[in-house]
Amino acid sequence: MTNYGEVLHELRVGKQMTLAKTAGDIVSASFLARFEKGDTNISLEHFTRILQRLNVSPLEFFALANNFSAQVFDDLFTQITEQATIDLTRNSAVVGQYVSLLAKKLTHTTQRLPVLLALDFFQTLLDVQHLAQHANMTNVSQRLLQGGRRAKNYLLSVDTWGEFEMKILTRFASMISASELRPLVQLAVQKIAMYQQQAVYEDYMFRLLNSVFFATVYTDTQLSAEILTLMSREMAARNNADNHLKYRLAEALQALAEGQIAKSRANFEQLTTVSQQIGLTFDTFFGFSAQDWLAFEDQVKHGQQHTRILRFEL
């Protein structure tokens, strides 16, 4: 994966900007130093504000940082989806920069498929936001399915799946209908068996299921319940503390999606207690705060349109 912190460091030094001056009131100088060394991640909002301070557009930055090999697909998604939520109201201009960059790269790259898929994803985000702002929810559903068509066809066409294909599935799961996603998940279970023979991939299936769960629980609770059952089976076979906590969070979200507010709250409070007992920083591990969860719960309780909690892990 491209080390964006290293690229930022080179830009900052080249412009003769100190850590303190670059960080300003956006983040601490020590945090920025850790990001430049690759020791921590940074939010999309903070990242773009720092680029503005350096007088570098996101378009220019990623043109410098990426060569658009297959790896860039994952790099771009990481920048967009590493946050617990995607606030396109604030970041639509930034996403638009990605779309412009991807469209330009299509004219002279030999790696067309990763660029096309990334372009599908980001353009769909922008289009869906626009449609949702005009309360055109029927067309939102249609646009989502259109955005996932190329990814679905690609996954069905390849005989051998690697990490790239697994990541495609997790990214586009929310853009594929439930009837079409079921066989793809079953296919993934078969394809991933070869990875689990290696220790480094022993919980790969759990992480895949966890990501697909978070993409489906908002749109098809029956399918997400089926995936939750597979997660339970996988966790029992390869249990560890991280997977256990993530499974408990998924349980709480499933209950919330089904309208079982009391059960969801009980699950979440138990999760919070366990996190405190083992000295876990909740926000860091889960990517969102307990306050974010309560606000999300309140939106669901009152039937309001809510912001998804996104977790793309592969």
Side-chain angles (χ1 to χ4, degrees):
M1 182 178 295
T2 302
N3 186 342
Y4 291 138
E6 184 177 331
V7 178
L8 186 69
H9 172 79
E10 293 177 1
L11 282 171
R12 179 179 64 78
V13 172
K15 291 177 177 289
Q16 299 182 340
M17 292 277 285
T18 65
L19 278 168
K21 189 174 181 180
T22 305
D25 59 353
I26 303 172
V27 295
S28 68
S30 60
F31 179 90
L32 183 58
R34 293 198 304 275
F35 172 67
E36 289 186 353
K37 294 176 182 177
D39 294 336
T40 189
N41 289 324
I42 191 170
S43 73
L44 182 62
E45 180 185 1
H46 288 164
F47 186 64
T48 51
R49 286 176 63 192
I50 287 172
L51 289 182
Q52 289 172 357
R53 182 158 290 176
L54 293 173
N55 196 29
V56 176
S57 72
L59 185 65
E60 291 173 308
F61 180 88
F62 286 101
L64 289 171
N66 294 310
N67 61 8
F68 276 81
S69 64
Q71 185 64 54
V72 77
F73 179 85
D74 189 45
D75 290 347
L76 289 171
F77 272 107
T78 300
Q79 286 298 315
I80 290 291
T81 60
E82 68 181 6
Q83 301 309 299
T85 60
I86 294 178
D87 187 348
L88 277 178
T89 303
R90 288 184 298 172
N91 294 328
S92 59
V94 177
V95 178
Q97 294 266 21
Y98 287 116
V99 172
S100 298
L101 178 59
L102 289 165
K104 288 182 179 179
K105 285 294 180 181
L106 274 175
T107 62
H108 56 77
T109 181
T110 58
Q111 300 285 343
R112 291 182 61 83
L113 178 65
V115 179
L116 282 168
L117 289 170
L119 185 60
D120 283 348
F121 185 87
F122 293 123
Q123 187 63 62
T124 299
L125 287 183
L126 291 174
D127 291 348
V128 165
Q129 183 214 19
H130 176 76
L131 291 168
Q133 285 176 340
H134 293 82
N136 196 339
M137 300 314 292
T138 299
N139 284 349
V140 164
S141 299
Q142 294 174 350
R143 182 64 185 91
L144 281 171
L145 295 180
Q146 181 185 359
R149 187 173 301 144
R150 193 195 314 269
K152 177 198 69 177
N153 291 338
Y154 168 72
L155 290 174
L156 291 173
S157 70
V158 292
D159 294 328
T160 303
W161 282 28
E163 288 188 58
F164 179 72
E165 285 70 30
M166 298 299 177
K167 289 172 181 176
I168 295 295
L169 177 59
T170 62
R171 288 358 182 197
F172 283 92
S174 61
M175 299 181 188
I176 300 174
S177 68
S179 61
E180 294 174 317
L181 188 58
R182 276 190 179 88
L184 284 175
V185 172
Q186 293 169 352
L187 187 61
V189 172
Q190 300 171 10
K191 300 288 188 181
I192 208 170
M194 58 176 289
Y195 288 102
Q196 293 186 324
Q197 298 173 7
Q198 306 174 45
V200 68
Y201 292 115
E202 63 181 6
D203 65 342
Y204 206 89
M205 189 73 237
F206 180 88
R207 291 187 285 125
L208 172 71
L209 292 170
N210 189 46
S211 293
V212 176
F213 170 85
F214 274 85
T216 58
V217 67
Y218 306 98
T219 56
D220 191 319
T221 54
Q222 182 179 347
L223 178 56
S224 62
E226 294 174 14
I227 294 173
L228 193 63
T229 300
L230 292 174
M231 287 173 64
S232 176
R233 186 187 312 164
E234 192 65 26
M235 186 182 67
R238 297 175 178 81
N239 194 13
N240 60 53
D242 282 4
N243 289 353
H244 184 81
L245 289 171
K246 290 170 184 175
Y247 176 77
R248 294 304 173 195
L249 176 62
E251 271 192 324
L253 187 55
Q254 178 69 26
L256 186 59
E258 293 174 349
Q260 302 180 55
I261 305 297
K263 180 180 178 181
S264 175
R265 173 64 66 83
N267 287 342
F268 187 74
E269 288 178 349
Q270 182 183 25
L271 182 63
T272 304
T273 300
V274 172
S275 300
Q276 292 172 344
Q277 288 175 344
I278 63 177
L280 180 70
T281 304
F282 194 92
D283 297 28
T284 301
F285 185 80
F286 290 108
F288 62 93
S289 67
Q291 287 72 27
D292 290 333
W293 174 273
L294 294 177
F296 179 74
E297 180 184 285
D298 190 62
Q299 289 173 336
V300 173
K301 188 188 304 183
H302 293 91
Q304 300 172 358
Q305 183 180 1
H306 55 269
T307 302
R308 295 182 175 195
I309 295 176
L310 298 179
R311 294 184 62 77
F312 297 132
E313 297 202 55
L314 288 178

